[in-house]
Structures are given as structure tokens and as C-alpha cells.
Amino acid sequence: VTALKPNWLLGSVESAVYIDGVEQVSKASIVDFTNPVIYTVVAGDGSFRNYTVTINTYPAASGTEITELGMEEPLIVADIDGNDITIYVPHGSELTALPIYAMASPSAIVENGTKEVKSSASDHDVSSQPTVLTVTAENEDTEDWNLYTIPEITFTEFKFSNLIPEVIGVLDSTGTSFNMTVLEGTDLETLVATFTLSVAGTAEIGSIPQESGVTVNSFASPRTYTLIMSDGHEVEYDVLV
């Protein structure tokens, strides 16, 4: 605050501004605001008014925390554990241009390399595992965070191949439910689902492991499949016949 250049507007071009008798120029005169400064505004008719300007300072914020990171469409919020951030993204996502957002400590900036990760989603290359994000606080302290981007497990195929004709599942608008339409009179008590998973993992109904093309189930009422990744992450899909 020892060498600031204030700017101002006056109500009349005939008015002038002084500090201790020295005329001041807006955006040009350098002023030390270590202590309160008294500005005197003199009108064209010689009348004047004094204004005291006090500048208060505060310590720069030191927070370097990422409080939330995710995607907006579809809405996905990452898991944060210490300085490790894990986000499960839809199968087929382009990791070299993934639209992510980040929220951090007040006045802090999150950067992926030299590109800022803002509070609204923008494309970022997160193909490195991990991708290191750097948070810079207002006081210029920094802290690194490791972002792991993992394609989420999903069904890439789900069908009843033992039926003639075979029935292929179609995901609804939520992306988490299969609607299956079978011929009238089909025995729903002994259907066998054939499926393929996008990544290594297992499928269960309740606690019963499911084997593609082998396990027999009743689909007289909706069934919920739980897909479990090798790291324990789970996703549920409903199947309605």
C-alpha cells in the first residue's frame, strides 16, 4: 500500500484534488496509504471538502484444499481421500478432453499443468494416472493433488440369448435400467441373461454371483444387478421385463 495510484471522478471539471497542498492526478499520482490520507477537493468557487481514505489490509488466504471435483453432465462428484481424488467416468469418455470442474479453498486457484480448472466444467487432459493438480493459495502456498480417472463399470451388452428371437436390453433415459420386451407367454421364471462388462469385475443379484449365459433367474419382478469393480466400487442396474 506504499505506492498506489488511486483513480476518481469529480462532479465538475473545475474541481481539483490535493493532498497536503500538492495537486493529485487520477490514475497517475503515487500515494503511500500506510496511514490514513486526507484528500481535499476544491471546487471552482474556492469551497472545499476533506475526505479521509483509510486502507485496511488482511492476511492473504493460505488454504490449498480441493473441496469438490466432478463433471456436470452427467453429474458425477469425485471421491476425495486425503490428497487422492478418484472420479469414475462413463464408459467411452475421452480422457484427453474430459469436462471437469473443481472447487477449492477461498481465493485459491486449481491448475492442471498451466490450465486453470474452474468452478464450471471445461475440457482437460486427465489421461495421466494420476493427473497432478496444483492448488495455489492467495499467499502463493501450493499443494499437489492426485486425480485418478477411472472408466466406470457398465454393461456393454445385456440380452436373453436363450429366447427365440433373442431379446436385447435397451437402457432407459436414466442409463441405469434395462427394459426388456419378450413375447407373450414367455416363461419369466427361467430366463438366462447373457452380458458383457466394460471392465474387469463381477455381477451379483443380491449376494448371488451371476455368470453370463449360465445363471438362471426369475424376472417375474424387476431384478437389480450390482456390478462390482476390482477396487470395490459398485454400480447398480435394474432389469425390467
Side-chain angles (χ1 to χ4, degrees):
V1 297
T2 60
L4 300 180
K5 294 181 179 181
N7 65 286
W8 58 81
L9 294 174
L10 299 175
S12 171
V13 295
E14 297 179 352
S15 298
V17 178
Y18 298 86
I19 296 177
D20 294 332
V22 178
E23 187 170 1
Q24 304 293 300
V25 179
S26 178
K27 300 182 182 179
S29 298
I30 298 175
V31 181
D32 182 354
F33 285 96
T34 302
N35 297 305
V37 175
I38 298 176
Y39 280 80
T40 301
V41 179
V42 181
D45 62 3
S47 61
F48 66 91
R49 177 177 292 183
N50 291 329
Y51 296 87
T52 301
V53 177
T54 303
I55 294 183
N56 298 311
T57 61
Y58 60 92
S62 59
T64 54
E65 182 180 4
I66 292 178
T67 56
E68 184 177 314
L69 185 143
M71 298 176 62
E72 293 177 346
E73 291 186 11
L75 180 59
I76 300 172
V77 178
D79 299 323
I80 301 178
D81 182 10
N83 281 56
D84 292 333
I85 304 172
T86 303
I87 184 169
Y88 294 90
V89 300
H91 175 68
S93 295
E94 179 53 69
L95 299 187
T96 60
L98 191 72
I100 60 172
Y101 70 88
M103 297 182 181
S105 301
S107 302
I109 296 174
V110 183
E111 292 178 301
N112 176 14
T114 59
K115 184 176 181 181
E116 183 178 354
V117 185
K118 299 183 178 181
S119 58
S120 57
S122 58
D123 289 348
H124 285 269
D125 184 348
V126 293
S127 55
S128 297
Q129 302 302 318
T131 294
V132 178
L133 305 179
T134 301
V135 180
T136 303
E138 189 177 37
N139 69 352
E140 299 187 356
D141 285 350
T142 62
E143 186 173 359
D144 288 339
W145 297 70
N146 299 315
L147 174 61
Y148 297 89
T149 309
I150 302 175
E152 189 160 58
I153 192 169
T154 186
F155 286 112
T156 55
E157 179 184 54
F158 190 96
K159 60 185 180 181
F160 295 137
S161 56
N162 63 323
L163 298 180
I164 300 176
E166 70 177 12
V167 176
I168 299 175
V170 177
L171 282 172
D172 67 5
S173 59
T174 69
T176 59
S177 294
F178 282 102
N179 293 315
M180 316 287 287
T181 301
V182 300
L183 293 175
E184 186 176 353
T186 299
D187 182 3
L188 303 183
E189 299 291 338
T190 57
L191 294 178
V192 177
T194 299
F195 54 83
T196 304
L197 302 180
S198 60
V199 297
T202 59
E204 296 181 354
I205 294 179
S207 59
I208 301 174
Q210 302 294 300
E211 185 176 350
S212 174
V214 174
T215 308
V216 179
N217 286 294
S218 169
F219 286 88
S221 58
R223 288 290 189 174
T224 299
Y225 280 77
T226 302
L227 307 187
I228 307 171
M229 298 179 64
S230 57
D231 63 1
H233 180 71
E234 297 183 358
V235 182
E236 291 187 344
Y237 284 86
D238 295 322
V239 179
L240 298 85
V241 178

